[in-house]
Amino acid sequence: MALFTTQGYDATSLRQIADRLGLTKAALYYHFPAKEHLAIELTRPWLDAISNLIALDTPEPGVDEADRRRRLVEDYVDIVLTHHGVLRFLTQDAAAQKHPDVGKRSLTLVLALQDALLGPEPDDNERIRVSCALGAIHATAIMDESALAVARPIVVNVALAVLGLEQQAAHRGR
């Protein structure tokens, strides 16, 4: 991930990756016959986390819709911060974004998350607010690593404010 982020996906060779890992190129090829397989495996935990978040987001009887949406924002911010390196890599590298198993899946999942964050019967204003809230969350990709430790409450509260859900975010022990 460090090589992809600093040099770019296209500019990083399997030889460089093998050298960085202290492996022979043949050993690396055994596990990853192509560089694209590495990109898929490096992004899989982030993509799977988003997929699980969406799959588990089902309206529950008695749970307020605004509370569901707040929880969804908080959980997504946690995923983004946990997988900061992946998001930074995807944000900086157009080649990785174009890969169907990475870029297309990322876009599909973020659009599904966007739909989950929309309230019932959303209008254009609500769609714009959700897009802006996600933009605020995704802006963490350009944050310096040192800022991530204090970013969560700020990012959560900004996204909630944009959505009109500005009650202070529950920190749930974080």
Side-chain angles (χ1 to χ4, degrees):
M1 184 62 71
L3 287 171
F4 285 160
T5 302
T6 57
Q7 296 180 176
Y9 176 77
D10 284 338
T12 302
S13 70
L14 281 174
R15 163 65 56 212
Q16 291 172 315
I17 295 167
D19 289 347
R20 174 71 64 95
L21 295 173
L23 300 171
T24 65
K25 193 172 174 183
L28 184 61
Y29 272 121
Y30 176 78
H31 295 286
F32 301 99
K35 185 169 58 170
E36 70 181 25
H37 293 129
L38 277 168
I40 292 167
E41 290 306 314
L42 287 170
T43 58
R44 185 183 312 277
W46 178 66
L47 295 169
D48 288 349
I50 300 169
S51 181
N52 291 336
L53 177 65
I54 294 164
L56 295 173
D57 179 57
T58 55
E60 299 174 30
V63 174
D64 180 62
E65 178 65 11
D67 288 341
R68 181 194 67 79
R69 293 172 70 206
R70 280 187 203 95
R71 186 186 72 244
L72 195 57
V73 166
E74 289 185 14
D75 291 347
Y76 186 57
V77 169
D78 290 340
I79 289 169
V80 165
L81 293 176
T82 298
H83 300 281
H84 178 260
V86 172
L87 188 60
R88 175 171 268 191
F89 161 57
L90 291 175
T91 301
Q92 293 176 346
D93 201 302
Q97 292 173 22
K98 291 178 184 175
H99 189 283
D101 291 329
V102 176
K104 187 172 183 177
R105 185 174 178 211
S106 295
L107 178 59
T108 300
L109 289 170
V110 169
L111 290 174
L113 178 64
Q114 181 176 333
D115 288 344
L117 282 170
L118 290 169
E121 301 182 35
D123 60 11
D124 287 342
N125 289 336
E126 184 66 16
R127 290 181 194 287
I128 292 167
R129 288 159 43 127
V130 168
S131 293
C132 290
L134 288 173
I137 295 168
H138 293 155
T140 61
I142 60 172
M143 282 184 190
D144 187 71
E145 293 279 336
S146 63
L148 296 179
V150 297
R152 184 188 189 276
I154 297 166
V155 174
V156 167
N157 285 321
V158 166
L160 292 177
V162 170
L163 293 173
L165 303 169
E166 50 269 303
Q167 293 178 358
Q168 287 294 310
H171 296 292
R172 298 192 319 229
R174 293 182 187 111

